[in-house]
Amino acid sequence: MRFLLSLVLLVSSTFAAERPNVVVILSDDLGWGSVGCYGADPALVQTPNIDRIAKEGRRFTDGNTTSSVCSPTRYAMLTGRYCWRTSLISEVLSTVAPLHIEPTRLTIASMFKSQGYNCAAVGKWHLGYGTAERCDFTKELKPGPLEVGFDYHFGVPANHGDLSGVYVENHWVYGLNKDSPSLPSPPYVTMGQQKGKPTKTLDLNAPKRVDETVMETLTDKIVNWIGQQSAEKPFFVYFTPVGVHNPITPSKQTAGKSKGGPFCDFISDLDLSVGRVLDALDKQGLAKNTLVLFSSDNGGVNKLENANLVQTDAQKAGLKPTGPFRGGKHDVWEGGFRVPYLVRWPGHVPAGTVCDETVSIVDTIASLAAITGYKLPKADVAAEDSHDVSKAWLGAKYEGPLRPDVIVHSADGNFAIRKGAWKWIEGVPADDVKPAAKKAHAAQFKRQLYDLKYDIAEVTDVSAQNPEVVKDLEKLLNRYRDGGYSRELPPADVKPKPPFAELPPLKNSEPLDLKTYRGKDWAARDDAMFGKADDKGAPLTGPVKMQDGVLEFQIRLGEADRHSLRIHTAGNAKSYRIVLSHANLDIAVNPPTKDQETIQLAKQRVKFKASDWQTMRLTFLSDELTVEFVGTTTKAKHAVFAESKEQLNFIAFEGEVGIKQVLLAK
């Protein structure tokens, strides 16, 4: 018995001691059917370098992203946690968003760094910088990638063609003139401008990107970094090329080469980039002990009805960017999540093999932890949703599925859960989704069930024939959401943790009677006032008298687009507003005349249940305003806040808003 135990320990320690170098290549918007080894027509697309990973490693037929857009998948890749557990419940982070990963949270990079790895993040970042709600690119961009475990960072802040137009290296805009960081600002043509839309770019006195050379520049950086590594110390590369995200900007080397047009040319640029990374590993003699994972952040663009897209030209030429799957980027259909997923590690991953195991991008950290012998914290602490699928990577024997189910999430915040052949779509968009998007994606916003074994294209909803399956999957999804993790099954009686602490009662306050306020589109109902409005807004207006003090009220935003509390000073001379939408809270000073611009003071991302009543508390102290709402605190400073407040305007926009329990404490 002791001999067997010693043998097991010896094998385990030897396996962990091998600790491979790891290179993750996460491409952008690359659909399942856009590369050769997944069936792309060679007359349109040739990807010999990506195909080489499949030939020398393992190709997965059921590789999934966590979201059908980029930022959420990138968060899940690095942390092992579904991004919808954060404040980002739909769409992506803005170019100027703060760092979305808490510096204290375990990431692949911090895990590897604790094991003595060198770690680099090169390419598209799109997870924010700093702590301010609006990142100032003229200043030090900290915290950022270096604070979540990386030793080196060179990247595009958000998207190919984003409004920054610059690169970031470590904590600063690359080449920024720190003596005069804003002006003069060299010109940069963004994606919006290329589509004919005027776009104001950030004023940054730094070299601007040239779209056609971004792929080459990023690849140069990571190849040079790999060239500095040796077999003496393991390393981790998180390489995220901008290909093949819009704008479609093939290089001079590939432009005009494909019958599929510029989009297929751009795929060739991505393949060339992959080839250069593989060659760099070969040149350094590091390929044999390097695990390479290649995938994409979401499915491909599949909007055949949109003739203005370059991708549509490729589809008309015969490319099937999402293979046999319905939908694509942004959607809740399989085409939004199924992506190329390839793993190579010579001598460990069986070469030239195909695996049908269901795996997800979120599984990366748990799988790498198993391979390197790192013990993950408890499932409710870190890597909450990451399953160890390393046995599937390595071709080892195992019984049953390695992950019992998988949750996916569309750009609209629509959940779906897969278990075995079943896929159940909840059909509920996030609160912050605009009415136009709800209308455009109406087919996705209904409860539906598909049997993917017989209906991979999601054509026939079989929920009516399988009510028990629907019931079980709905219950399981709620259990995972309420439990806070899915790496393990949370207790059956789990109660969701309160998302934030309630504010303490407001002392020495007096009620404000809203029934004395005027508003033709407002009416009393129960113990509250409700206002209904179109896009022009419906105000509820009345007097108030306060200088320093506290104003508190309960608000139910419901399905309205937003609510604006506009506060006027004496004689209506000046005004400012606190605007609440489903995703953000904004504080701004209104311009005194129409020809002047609004002064934006603060913006805070918020996450709350819009159908419930929520407390908003405003504290005025001299020229400072502090707004407390659903666990967030937003501060702003301006001389107007020190002036006497004499009128309140509660304004509803595009829907019905409820206001009640207005209190004043002076």
Side-chain angles (χ1 to χ4, degrees), residues 542-556:
V544 69
K545 193 70 177 178
M546 68 178 296
Q547 194 85 31
D548 286 352
V550 181
L551 169 65
E552 179 181 291
F553 58 93
Q554 298 271 315
I555 181 169
R556 191 173 79 182

Side-chain angles (χ1 to χ4, degrees), residues 42-232:
L44 301 173
V45 174
Q46 293 189 19
T47 53
N49 296 297
I50 296 173
D51 297 347
R52 177 187 166 191
I53 302 176
K55 184 179 179 181
E56 297 176 359
R58 173 162 271 211
R59 178 173 70 88
F60 285 77
T61 63
D62 196 1
N64 296 266
T65 64
T66 57
S67 171
S68 55
V69 280
C70 57
S71 293
T73 294
R74 293 164 191 270
Y75 176 91
M77 160 70 85
L78 290 175
T79 66
R81 183 182 187 224
Y82 289 133
C83 190
W84 46 261
R85 298 193 189 278
T86 74
S87 60
L88 186 64
I89 58 175
S90 71
E91 284 298 339
V92 300
L93 296 170
S94 74
T95 303
V96 295
L99 179 65
H100 202 63
I101 301 175
E102 313 96 298
T104 55
R105 176 166 290 282
L106 181 71
T107 67
I108 298 176
S110 63
M111 177 184 76
F112 277 146
K113 193 170 185 177
S114 71
Q115 298 180 76
Y117 278 63
N118 290 332
C119 303
V122 173
K124 170 178 171 173
W125 179 239
H126 212 170
L127 287 170
Y129 300 97
T131 57
E133 192 57 34
R134 182 179 175 84
C135 174
D136 185 348
F137 282 85
T138 66
K139 297 179 180 178
E140 187 176 26
L141 304 176
K142 186 179 182 180
L146 273 60
E147 282 62 53
V148 296
F150 292 101
D151 301 296
Y152 177 71
H153 168 59
F154 184 91
V156 172
N159 278 319
H160 189 34
D162 68 33
L163 60 81
S164 75
V166 296
Y167 295 105
V168 169
E169 187 169 39
N170 295 328
H171 287 140
W172 292 90
V173 166
Y174 179 69
L176 182 71
N177 184 328
K178 295 178 183 178
D179 293 329
S180 179
S182 298
L183 299 171
S185 181
Y188 174 69
V189 179
T190 70
M191 181 168 62
Q193 290 169 327
Q194 289 177 350
K195 290 182 176 180
K197 301 176 183 177
T199 305
K200 180 175 173 55
T201 58
L202 299 181
D203 288 331
L204 292 168
N205 187 1
K208 296 298 167 62
R209 302 191 303 260
V210 177
D211 286 345
E212 290 78 9
T213 65
V214 170
M215 286 290 290
E216 181 182 9
T217 299
L218 296 176
T219 309
D220 285 346
K221 289 291 182 180
I222 198 57
V223 166
N224 290 338
W225 190 86
I226 291 173
Q228 298 169 23
Q229 308 309 305
S230 71
E232 301 303 314

Side-chain angles (χ1 to χ4, degrees), residues 242-258:
V242 297
V244 287
H245 191 286
N246 283 327
I248 305 304
T249 55
S251 66
K252 292 180 180 180
Q253 187 175 354
T254 65
K257 298 290 179 65
S258 172

Side-chain angles (χ1 to χ4, degrees), residues 246-552:
N246 283 327
I248 305 304
T249 55
S251 66
K252 292 180 180 180
Q253 187 175 354
T254 65
K257 298 290 179 65
S258 172
K259 294 179 181 179
F263 181 66
C264 293
D265 293 336
F266 205 29
I267 294 175
S268 294
D269 278 312
L270 173 63
D271 186 71
L272 288 172
S273 179
V274 171
R276 290 185 60 197
V277 172
L278 298 180
D279 290 345
L281 294 172
D282 290 336
K283 183 178 179 180
Q284 289 296 105
L286 299 170
K288 187 175 181 180
N289 194 37
T290 299
L291 187 155
V292 176
L293 170 62
F294 174 87
S295 194
S296 177
D297 61 351
N298 49 253
V301 174
N302 184 16
K303 305 290 182 185
L304 194 56
E305 70 278 7
N306 190 339
N308 296 322
L309 292 174
V310 178
Q311 290 90 335
T312 300
D313 295 334
Q315 286 182 270
K316 289 179 178 179
L319 183 71
K320 297 179 179 179
T322 59
F325 305 109
R326 181 179 182 181
K329 181 179 180 179
H330 297 117
D331 297 329
V332 77
W333 314 118
E334 288 295 279
F337 312 104
R338 296 285 188 107
V339 289
Y341 190 101
L342 307 168
V343 182
R344 187 193 79 169
W345 184 14
H348 298 273
V349 173
T353 57
V354 177
C355 182
D356 297 327
E357 184 73 20
T358 300
V359 294
S360 173
I361 290 291
V362 77
D363 298 329
T364 309
I365 190 169
S367 305
L368 292 173
I371 286 174
T372 59
Y374 181 90
K375 185 178 180 180
L376 289 174
K378 291 182 179 180
D380 63 346
V381 175
E384 291 91 333
D385 304 297
S386 189
H387 286 258
D388 174 15
V389 297
S390 62
K391 288 183 178 179
W393 287 3
L394 302 174
K397 291 183 179 180
Y398 55 89
E399 294 182 3
L402 292 174
R403 59 157 41 250
D405 38 58
V406 64
I407 298 172
V408 290
H409 193 241
S410 78
D412 295 317
N414 190 3
F415 283 91
I417 184 169
R418 284 181 52 200
K419 186 176 179 64
W422 297 112
K423 177 181 178 180
W424 183 69
I425 298 172
E426 187 174 43
V428 180
D431 284 343
D432 58 355
V433 174
K434 301 290 185 181
K438 291 180 180 179
K439 183 178 180 180
H441 302 154
Q444 302 181 43
F445 299 143
K446 60 181 182 179
R447 294 157 60 89
Q448 45 203 304
L449 178 73
Y450 295 96
D451 184 346
L452 299 182
K453 182 177 180 180
Y454 301 104
D455 183 18
I456 197 65
E458 297 171 284
V459 174
T460 306
D461 176 11
V462 294
S463 55
Q465 297 91 328
N466 299 277
E468 289 302 314
V469 174
V470 170
K471 182 179 178 181
D472 290 345
L473 291 177
E474 181 178 26
K475 183 178 179 181
L476 183 61
L477 177 59
N478 286 327
R479 189 168 173 178
Y480 284 144
R481 283 191 298 213
D482 292 346
Y485 56 88
S486 66
R487 176 157 46 107
E488 300 170 1
L489 187 64
D493 59 348
V494 65
K495 301 293 183 183
K497 295 179 181 179
F500 53 87
E502 295 290 337
L503 290 171
L506 186 61
K507 296 180 180 180
N508 303 319
S509 63
E510 297 180 358
L512 186 67
D513 187 4
L514 287 184
K515 292 180 181 178
T516 64
Y517 277 39
R518 304 184 314 276
K520 67 175 184 177
D521 296 307
W522 288 74
R525 191 166 74 237
D526 299 325
D527 61 344
M529 293 293 290
F530 288 88
K532 198 169 186 179
D534 55 18
D535 59 350
K536 294 181 180 179
L540 178 67
T541 303
V544 69
K545 193 70 177 178
M546 68 178 296
Q547 194 85 31
D548 286 352
V550 181
L551 169 65
E552 179 181 291

Side-chain angles (χ1 to χ4, degrees), residues 637-649:
K637 191 170 184 176
H638 194 278
V640 71
F641 299 142
E643 298 190 28
S644 176
K645 296 91 181 151
E646 299 202 357
Q647 186 185 87
L648 299 181
N649 297 268

